[in-house]
Amino acid sequence: MSAVAATFEPRLAPCGLTRGGERYLTEDHQGLITEELRFSCGCCSTREEFHDGSFHHMVVHHRGRVLADEEWRGE
C-alpha cells in the first residue's frame, strides 16, 4: 500500500468559494485507489476506484450537506 499527502493550490470548492487544501491519495497496488480532497473551508470530495473498475464519488459541503453521492459499476 502507498499513500501520498500534498497541498493543492486554490481552486473552486464545492461550496463555490475558491480555496486551497490537502489531497490524500492511497493505492493498494491491486487496483483500489482512494483520492480525497479536503478544502480549507471544510468541503470534501472523495473518489474511490475499486478493483473491478467501478467507483464511488462523494462531495460534501462544509456545512455537512451531501452534494453528490454517485456510484458507477465496472464490468
Side-chain angles (χ1 to χ4, degrees), residues 16-65:
L17 301 173
T18 301
R19 296 288 186 256
E22 297 177 334
R23 177 180 180 252
Y24 300 93
L25 183 66
T26 58
E27 184 175 354
D28 73 354
H29 301 292
Q30 295 178 11
L32 177 63
I33 300 170
T34 302
E35 179 184 38
E36 184 175 3
L37 298 177
R38 294 183 190 170
F39 292 85
S40 62
C41 60
C43 291
C44 184
S45 175
T46 305
R47 185 176 194 277
E48 299 170 299
E49 185 173 335
F50 300 96
H51 303 94
D52 64 356
S54 61
F55 67 92
H56 177 245
H57 181 234
M58 180 178 254
V59 179
V60 181
H61 188 279
H62 62 260
R63 292 190 177 154
R65 181 174 172 222

